[in-house]
């Protein structure tokens, strides 16, 4: 079965805020079963820096900082990077950009999409930001009262923000 990872609108959910970025990375790689030897591994630290550079948000320079001191966008990007460690995973994004500014939100979604495509994984995006749905989703489900009201392939319908807004009325 594929691994399912969840990213919510709370940027720090799933992270250990008083631990460093590197410590959070190691916990993810080892499922929390790491011994002290990881702290001295230059190879693992370089691997972590390489991974963090993908976010293009300066995370690689904050490898020794506690997660709680990162910006919301950096925390969310770190959450995405840690969640996609497994190939062929499913990434469930539940309002991942709700608490972020437009730049950080775009960066986080771009990162998630690029990394999941490279890993041949899937993304399920739950969002009220209609523009994100229209611009990024291949398939769109509109829910009403917990039931699927509309199910469409965006590639066939070429949805725009305006079309989606009209459908939601």
């Amino acid at each position: 079965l594929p691994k399912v990872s969840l990213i919510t609108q709370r940027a720090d959910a799933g992270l250990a805020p008083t631990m460093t970025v590197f410590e959070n990375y190691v916990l993810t790689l080892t499922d929390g079963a790491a011994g002290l030897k990881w702290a001295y591994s230059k190879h693992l630290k370089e691997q972590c820096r390489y991974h963090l550079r993908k976010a293009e948000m300066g995370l690689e320079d904050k490898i020794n900082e506690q997660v709680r001191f990162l910006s919301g966008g950096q925390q969310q990007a770190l959450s995405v990077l840690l969640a996609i460690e497994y190939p062929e995973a499913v990434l469930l994004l539940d309002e991942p950009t709700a608490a972020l500014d437009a730049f950080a939100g775009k960066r986080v979604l771009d990162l998630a999409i690029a990394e999941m495509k490279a890993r041949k994984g899937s993304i399920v995006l739950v969002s009220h930001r209609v523009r994100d749905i229209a611009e990024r989703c291949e398939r769109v489900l509109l829910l009403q009262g917990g039931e699927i009201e509309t199910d469409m392939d965006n590639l066939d319908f070429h949805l725009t923000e305006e079309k989606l807004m009209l459908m939601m009325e």
Side-chain angles (χ1 to χ4, degrees), residues 17-56:
T18 59
M19 295 179 79
T20 68
V21 170
F22 181 62
E23 290 166 340
N24 274 267
Y25 180 76
V26 170
L27 286 174
T28 299
L29 288 183
T30 62
D31 289 327
L36 289 177
K37 64 182 179 182
W38 60 264
Y40 302 102
S41 171
K42 287 184 181 180
H43 171 73
L44 193 53
K45 241 182 191 172
E46 283 309 308
Q47 180 182 326
C48 179
R49 277 194 181 91
Y50 170 78
H51 200 58
L52 295 172
R53 278 188 200 101
K54 295 175 185 179
E56 297 179 1

Side-chain angles (χ1 to χ4, degrees), residues 17-165:
T18 59
M19 295 179 79
T20 68
V21 170
F22 181 62
E23 290 166 340
N24 274 267
Y25 180 76
V26 170
L27 286 174
T28 299
L29 288 183
T30 62
D31 289 327
L36 289 177
K37 64 182 179 182
W38 60 264
Y40 302 102
S41 171
K42 287 184 181 180
H43 171 73
L44 193 53
K45 241 182 191 172
E46 283 309 308
Q47 180 182 326
C48 179
R49 277 194 181 91
Y50 170 78
H51 200 58
L52 295 172
R53 278 188 200 101
K54 295 175 185 179
E56 297 179 1
M57 295 178 85
L59 282 171
E60 66 276 10
D61 299 327
K62 298 182 183 272
I63 196 168
N64 295 315
E65 285 191 35
Q66 289 183 7
V67 169
R68 64 184 171 159
F69 297 123
L70 302 177
S71 71
Q74 288 173 325
Q75 287 180 17
Q76 199 68 301
L78 178 61
S79 290
V80 168
L81 288 169
L82 297 180
I84 59 177
E85 271 302 306
Y86 304 94
E88 299 181 20
V90 175
L91 183 59
L92 175 56
L93 300 173
D94 184 10
E95 300 281 352
T97 61
L100 303 179
D101 63 54
F103 172 79
K106 179 183 181 327
R107 189 69 212 117
V108 165
L109 284 178
D110 289 347
L111 174 66
I113 291 167
E115 290 298 310
M116 290 305 285
K117 277 186 180 178
R119 287 169 170 72
K120 300 190 181 348
S122 299
I123 295 176
V124 176
L125 173 64
V126 177
S127 182
H128 288 94
R129 290 191 176 178
V130 178
R131 175 172 285 149
D132 289 341
I133 295 168
E135 293 175 355
R136 299 168 187 278
C137 295
E138 294 175 8
R139 183 174 176 198
V140 177
L141 301 174
L142 294 176
L143 302 177
Q144 181 72 32
E147 300 288 324
I148 296 174
E149 183 176 297
T150 306
D151 179 353
M152 69 185 72
D153 186 336
N154 194 2
L155 300 176
D156 291 336
F157 289 95
H158 307 291
L159 292 176
T160 63
E161 187 175 359
E162 294 78 24
K163 286 180 187 176
L164 276 173
M165 292 296 287

